């Protein structure tokens, strides 16, 4: 079971400006002092629960043959009205490995708990403040 609930993580993300005023989500490419790149973007899954307002992907990315690959990435659903996060998907392109929280029978609670725990640990790293936005020139040369 996770140390944080989806509500706790939503509030924590607001406190660290990953979710801003008016529920504006931080997006773009960021990099830390060690050269680790973080891509944050909105995604649109084919199947999604009706109570989720926004889906965001948070991914450490590496360039392989000129293409960005997730190493790893998570997709989270945000219920803005109730200020809570619903974990959706874990993906690592380098290992060709995916863990989906929803399967043919609906929500798999064990996978959801695991992904929420994973995200809470990862978010502790992200909120350290070491990540800065990359500008277009840095993206082309980096």
């Amino acid at each position: 079971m996770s140390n944080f609930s989806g509500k706790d993580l939503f509030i924590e993300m607001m406190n660290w400006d990953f979710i801003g005023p008016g529920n504006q989500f931080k997006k773009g490419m960021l990099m830390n002092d060690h050269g680790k790149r973080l891509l944050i973007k909105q995604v649109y899954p084919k199947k999604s629960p009706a109570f989720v307002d926004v889906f965001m992907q948070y991914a450490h990315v590496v360039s392989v043959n000129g293409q960005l690959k997730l190493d790893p990435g998570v997709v989270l659903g945000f219920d803005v009205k109730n200020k809570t996060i619903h974990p959706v998907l874990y993906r690592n392109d380098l290992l060709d490995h995916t863990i989906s929280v929803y399967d043919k029978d609906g929500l798999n609670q064990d996978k959801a708990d695991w992904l929420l725990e994973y995200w809470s640990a990862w978010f502790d790293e992200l909120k350290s403040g070491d990540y800065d936005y990359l500008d277009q020139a840095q993206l082309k040369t980096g």
Side-chain angles (χ1 to χ4, degrees), residues 1-4 9 87 112-122:
M1 191 68 169
S2 346
N3 293 331
F4 285 99
L9 282 169
D113 289 344
W114 175 84
L115 189 52
L116 200 59
E117 180 71 29
Y118 181 85
W119 174 246
S120 69
W122 191 10

Side-chain angles (χ1 to χ4, degrees), residues 50-87:
F51 52 83
V52 172
D53 301 304
V54 177
F55 290 90
M56 298 296 293
Q57 175 181 285
Y58 299 85
H60 279 144
V61 292
V62 295
S63 183
V64 176
N65 296 328
Q67 294 185 332
L68 292 180
K69 301 289 184 176
L70 307 182
D71 183 30
V74 298
V75 174
L76 305 172
F78 293 84
D79 177 347
V80 175
K81 179 182 175 192
N82 294 307
K83 296 198 179 322
T84 193
I85 296 173
H86 300 277

Side-chain angles (χ1 to χ4, degrees), residues 5-132:
S5 71
K7 287 184 181 282
D8 293 335
L9 282 169
F10 192 100
I11 299 303
E12 190 76 4
M13 289 182 75
M14 288 178 71
N15 291 340
W16 284 91
D17 295 327
F18 279 82
I19 304 171
N23 295 313
Q24 294 298 311
F25 290 81
K26 181 183 275 190
K27 298 177 191 170
M29 181 75 78
L30 294 85
M31 183 183 290
N32 69 10
D33 295 339
H34 304 287
K36 191 178 253 186
R37 292 183 291 174
L38 175 70
L39 176 63
I40 305 172
K41 67 180 185 176
Q42 188 169 359
V43 294
Y44 304 91
K46 291 180 183 173
K47 295 181 181 178
S48 61
F51 52 83
V52 172
D53 301 304
V54 177
F55 290 90
M56 298 296 293
Q57 175 181 285
Y58 299 85
H60 279 144
V61 292
V62 295
S63 183
V64 176
N65 296 328
Q67 294 185 332
L68 292 180
K69 301 289 184 176
L70 307 182
D71 183 30
V74 298
V75 174
L76 305 172
F78 293 84
D79 177 347
V80 175
K81 179 182 175 192
N82 294 307
K83 296 198 179 322
T84 193
I85 296 173
H86 300 277
V88 177
L89 181 84
Y90 165 94
R91 175 77 188 148
N92 188 318
D93 290 337
L94 300 181
L95 300 176
D96 194 24
H97 182 66
T98 301
I99 298 172
S100 179
V101 169
Y102 295 93
D103 55 29
K104 63 180 177 1
D105 298 324
L107 175 69
N108 180 313
Q109 192 61 52
D110 289 338
K111 289 179 181 178
D113 289 344
W114 175 84
L115 189 52
L116 200 59
E117 180 71 29
Y118 181 85
W119 174 246
S120 69
W122 191 10
F123 187 67
D124 282 341
E125 173 192 331
L126 298 180
K127 69 183 185 184
S128 68
D130 289 343
Y131 285 84
D132 297 310

